[in-house]
Amino acid sequence: MPFSISIFSAPPGAIPLCSNVRRIPHCSYHIAPNRLRSRRASNFCQIFHGLRLWISESLSLLQHNGKSGQTQKFKTVKNHKGDEFDKPFEETSSQAQQVPEAVLKSNLSSASENLQSDAPDSSGSSGSLPQSLMSNRIVGDEEVPSLCIAVIGATGELATRKIFPALFALYYSGFLPENVGIFGYSRKNITDEELRSIISATLTCRIDHQQNCSDKMDAFLSRTFHVNGGYDNNKGMSKLNFLMEQIERYSEANRIFYLSVPQDALLDVALSLSSKAQTKKGWNRVIIEKPFGFDMKSSHFLTKSLLSQFEENQIYRIDHLLGKNLIENLTVLRFANLVFQPLWSRTFISSVQVILSEELGVQTKRFLDGGGIIGDIVHSHILQTIALLAMEPPISLDGEAIRNEKVKLLRSIRPLEPSDVVLGQYKSSAKDKVDLFLDDLTPTYFAGALYIDNARWDGVPFLIKSGLGLIKHSVEIRIQFRQVPGNIYREHIGYNSASTTNEIILRDIPEEAILVRVNNKVPGLGLRLDSPELNLLYKDKYNVDVPDSYEHLLLDVIDGDSHLFMRSDELAVAWNILTPILNEIKENNIKPELYEFGGRGPIGAYYLWAKHGVRWVEE
């Protein structure tokens, strides 16, 4: 009985007998098995090549969970008025390849459960992804791996103000591959064009990169698509997966999922994408925004749930403050400068201060749950900064090598005692235009003294000062050195000898700089000493526009560099340091001290500095 196969045939005389043909036009043959051997040799070779290519394409179609490589073009999410979730795609049958019906049914059977074809209504439109995005780029004989980036929560403030602009900056600067697809996933019923309009309002080109700005912006937006996820994330992630596969085709495929979603939706989204949207043709990486739980218990549950679906090396817990150039420069300053390396210990350093204050007008919705500023800033940013500043030299710049040393350092920090902590909460009025719905125990200010119990830092206080609604915005690290032993100039210093100690100041805000305070003779007659700052102001030295911290961290995710992202064991150790204070807050044994909104913070912080023998620096 004859059977039908789909093969590729070359025009007569176009190819030698049984030559290695890469591309030949498509045609269809009906061949009876008992007549196959009676064909002429040239026809046999044509059939052989066509059969081989047909088998290869069919296997490619079936390789990703039996459904990932469908060659039919599917139209994008239909734009309709309802916020429904079960109307994702339409098959464009006129452009579908001719493959055997049984194979086609096999490919579509598993996908049909979640992806039902439905005609668009009059209120919207639908279309397929552009052909330029659906074809793989080929260099030589090899296909270039594709990259798909999904921003979950695409219409939120974080996504529109920070994530999409950072992705565009990377695209403009050439750090994203040409065959990249950007997908905005949300519950809103908007079109691709509407999402692009929202995004375009926040995109800018750097001052030092103005060439072809509008062209690059148009190219980036043309690669950006909206996916209406609705309220069923399993269906939504299946839809997202289907669109990504149109870009990826048969090549190696890598995917990044940025979960810019509220904490209460995080696990549902993460578990859905784990089962429905991961590729098996490359790597998958998931970015999670802080806070990473609100205490030890909630963090442990979150970590356990994520690790049940993902490997540790797939999870990137992002804290945008760690993407600052100041943080990256900590290890460079320490390990690339011989002048500082021998000084970095208790022998020469008397104290370290880490200061992060935010000024008037800051919004505090993110502090309404859990430990307030403790879970949002102290747990991740402050402790990570101290870990990078104080850790032992890693064996290499590999992300895991650095994270290993950070964990060792964090494990050496004593759990905080209530007597070494001052909490504060600003008091404000409606005219201050800030959130007033703070729980009585929610701290918006934290000051604390940490001690590291190891040979390098034994006895050196690490003082933390972080707060909202203060007099100005300041981000800096101050490393104060000990007094010069037997200083022969002490009679010329005056009464306030503490003000003449040497100091290294690493500043990010208000102006990024590295400052070194030294003692110097004032010019003129007589002997009078002064303590000026030798400064390296970045704006004067480097005539460049500093990239946003999200650009830095997103590029690290693409490159697989994990050293600025908290590992699960880092997460647990950091919570262990702060748990005694959180327990005291829950048991109502410690309450925040009120301070004026726009002031300098609680008075108790001044006494804490004095208790540990550290000079208070006015902001």
Side-chain angles (χ1 to χ4, degrees):
M1 179 177 181
F3 63 94
S4 177
I5 63 174
S6 177
I7 69 172
F8 295 84
S9 175
I15 57 173
L17 183 63
C18 293
S19 62
N20 184 17
V21 181
R22 289 179 60 86
R23 295 183 181 273
I24 36 185
H26 175 275
C27 64
S28 183
Y29 287 85
H30 293 273
I31 305 169
N34 60 353
R35 297 181 58 194
L36 188 60
R37 294 182 181 178
S38 66
R39 296 281 186 183
R40 292 182 295 117
S42 61
N43 285 344
F44 174 80
C45 290
Q46 294 171 6
I47 295 170
F48 172 76
H49 283 297
L51 182 61
R52 183 179 66 178
L53 291 174
W54 175 80
I55 292 173
S56 176
E57 291 195 356
S58 297
L59 290 175
S60 296
L61 292 172
L62 294 169
Q63 68 179 352
H64 181 35
N65 286 337
K67 64 180 181 180
S68 67
Q70 297 178 42
T71 56
Q72 290 80 6
K73 295 181 181 178
F74 287 86
K75 294 188 176 181
T76 55
V77 184
K78 293 188 298 299
N79 308 314
H80 48 79
K81 291 182 178 178
D83 197 14
E84 299 173 355
F85 198 80
D86 57 350
K87 301 177 181 179
F89 301 98
E90 276 191 43
E91 179 183 350
T92 309
S93 58
S94 62
Q95 297 180 352
Q97 287 192 5
Q98 299 179 20
V99 296
E101 183 178 0
V103 175
L104 182 59
K105 287 182 177 180
S106 174
N107 290 339
L108 293 175
S109 60
S110 58
S112 62
E113 297 176 3
N114 295 323
L115 302 170
Q116 301 292 329
S117 294
D118 194 8
D121 59 27
S122 59
S123 64
S125 61
S126 64
S128 60
L129 294 181
Q131 177 66 35
S132 60
L133 295 179
M134 295 179 62
S135 59
N136 297 320
R137 292 176 56 85
I138 298 177
V139 178
D141 292 333
E142 298 182 0
E143 292 175 334
V144 177
S146 63
L147 175 63
C148 285
I149 302 173
V151 180
I152 316 298
T155 57
E157 184 178 6
L158 175 63
T160 55
R161 291 185 57 192
K162 292 294 185 179
I163 301 173
F164 284 114
L167 289 173
F168 170 66
L170 292 176
Y171 180 80
Y172 184 87
S173 301
F175 289 106
L176 296 184
E178 283 298 322
N179 53 336
V180 66
I182 311 293
F183 295 88
Y185 180 104
S186 77
R187 289 176 174 175
K188 291 189 176 180
N189 180 34
I190 60 176
T191 66
D192 293 342
E193 289 302 324
E194 287 172 329
L195 176 64
R196 291 165 185 168
S197 177
I198 294 171
I199 294 172
S200 64
T202 63
L203 302 185
T204 58
C205 293
R206 293 201 186 99
I207 296 174
D208 55 346
H209 289 80
Q210 288 294 326
Q211 300 85 355
N212 301 320
C213 180
S214 59
D215 293 340
K216 282 286 188 179
M217 197 174 293
D218 291 341
F220 175 80
L221 292 173
S222 71
R223 297 175 176 277
T224 304
F225 307 93
H226 182 257
V227 180
N228 179 358
Y231 292 87
D232 185 338
N233 283 316
N234 283 323
K235 289 184 178 180
M237 291 301 167
S238 295
K239 181 189 297 187
L240 175 63
N241 177 67
F242 216 53
L243 275 173
M244 286 181 168
E245 287 173 350
Q246 292 188 67
I247 292 178
E248 295 164 350
R249 307 282 282 175
Y250 312 127
S251 68
E252 180 183 343
N254 302 317
R255 296 181 181 179
I256 293 173
F257 303 89
Y258 197 124
L259 274 55
S260 177
V261 297
Q263 285 289 303
D264 55 2
L266 176 62
L267 280 182
D268 180 54
V269 172
L271 300 183
S272 296
L273 79 84
S274 170
S275 60
K276 301 295 184 181
Q278 291 198 87
T279 180
K280 292 188 177 180
K281 299 186 293 181
W283 48 254
N284 299 274
R285 292 170 185 160
V286 181
I287 303 175
I288 298 172
E289 274 281 348
K290 64 177 183 178
F292 314 117
F294 302 106
D295 53 23
M296 178 73 81
K297 184 177 179 180
S298 62
S299 177
H300 176 73
F301 174 76
L302 178 62
T303 297
K304 184 177 179 181
S305 300
L306 290 172
L307 290 180
S308 69
Q309 302 296 321
F310 303 99
E311 299 294 329
E312 180 67 57
N313 61 8
Q314 292 181 268
I315 303 172
Y316 288 75
R317 299 174 180 89
I318 191 170
D319 179 349
H320 74 280
L321 293 171
L322 294 175
K324 298 284 188 179
N325 191 64
L326 164 68
I327 302 300
E328 190 73 357
N329 208 26
L330 286 178
T331 52
V332 175
L333 189 72
R334 284 193 59 190
F335 304 128
N337 293 285
L338 185 59
V339 66
F340 295 127
Q341 234 177 8
L343 304 179
W344 225 259
S345 72
R346 63 185 298 273
T347 305
F348 299 100
I349 293 176
S350 65
S351 68
V352 177
Q353 299 180 58
V354 180
I355 300 168
L356 194 159
S357 62
E358 297 189 22
E359 59 188 345
L360 291 168
V362 69
Q363 297 296 304
T364 58
K365 290 181 180 179
R366 65 184 190 267
F367 296 105
L368 295 180
D369 296 318
I373 199 170
I374 298 175
D376 189 84
I377 291 180
V378 178
H379 172 263
S380 56
H381 174 65
I382 299 291
L383 291 183
Q384 285 288 294
T385 299
I386 291 175
L388 288 166
L389 180 72
M391 69 181 184
E392 295 299 311
I395 60 174
S396 71
L397 292 177
D398 176 71
E400 290 307 306
I402 294 176
R403 296 206 288 190
N404 289 340
E405 295 302 331
K406 287 195 295 178
V407 169
K408 291 179 186 177
L409 189 284
L410 291 172
R411 284 178 175 155
S412 300
I413 297 178
R414 298 178 204 166
L416 278 167
E417 296 290 338
S419 60
D420 286 332
V421 170
V422 173
L423 302 180
Q425 184 183 96
Y426 62 70
K427 53 182 179 180
S428 62
S429 61
K431 68 179 182 179
D432 294 321
K433 298 181 180 179
V434 296
D435 301 313
L436 302 176
F437 303 103
L438 289 169
D439 184 271
D440 290 342
L441 300 178
T442 302
T444 59
Y445 183 101
F446 179 95
L450 295 175
Y451 284 89
I452 301 172
D453 293 329
N454 64 17
R456 182 184 290 270
W457 299 109
D458 186 28
V460 177
F462 283 73
L463 294 165
I464 300 168
K465 182 167 57 174
S466 181
L468 304 177
L470 299 176
I471 192 169
K472 72 174 185 178
H473 195 178
S474 177
V475 178
E476 65 181 27
I477 301 167
R478 306 182 78 98
I479 302 164
Q480 293 181 351
F481 289 86
R482 298 189 183 279
Q483 295 283 347
V484 176
N487 191 346
I488 60 176
Y489 287 98
R490 59 183 175 271
E491 295 179 359
H492 302 275
I493 291 175
Y495 294 104
N496 190 10
S497 60
S499 64
T500 61
T501 55
N502 299 135
E503 193 171 28
I504 298 176
I505 304 168
L506 309 176
R507 180 176 295 158
D508 180 71
I509 295 174
E511 290 182 323
E512 189 169 5
I514 298 175
L515 311 173
V516 180
R517 186 186 298 277
V518 298
N519 293 317
N520 182 62
K521 178 185 177 298
V522 177
L525 299 176
L527 184 59
R528 187 163 60 92
L529 300 186
D530 188 20
S531 299
E533 295 174 347
L534 307 179
N535 64 70
L536 168 60
L537 291 177
Y538 278 59
K539 68 175 184 179
D540 295 338
K541 177 63 177 178
Y542 305 106
N543 187 26
V544 295
D545 196 12
V546 178
D548 183 76
S549 57
Y550 280 95
E551 296 175 42
H552 184 180
L553 294 173
L554 282 169
L555 183 59
D556 281 352
V557 175
I558 294 170
D559 292 339
D561 184 350
S562 59
H563 80 283
L564 292 177
F565 301 86
M566 294 183 76
R567 205 166 59 189
S568 295
D569 51 352
E570 286 182 83
L571 204 64
V573 175
W575 280 121
N576 187 57
I577 296 168
L578 299 169
T579 292
I581 303 304
L582 294 174
N583 289 340
E584 291 292 313
I585 294 174
K586 289 179 182 178
E587 295 170 8
N588 206 20
N589 293 332
I590 181 172
K591 289 186 177 181
E593 176 186 337
L594 293 179
Y595 62 93
E596 289 290 337
F597 189 82
R600 298 186 183 276
I603 298 297
Y606 292 82
Y607 293 104
L608 181 65
W609 257 237
K611 173 185 173 181
H612 293 276
V614 179
R615 178 171 58 91
W616 179 272
V617 179
E618 288 292 344
E619 298 178 24

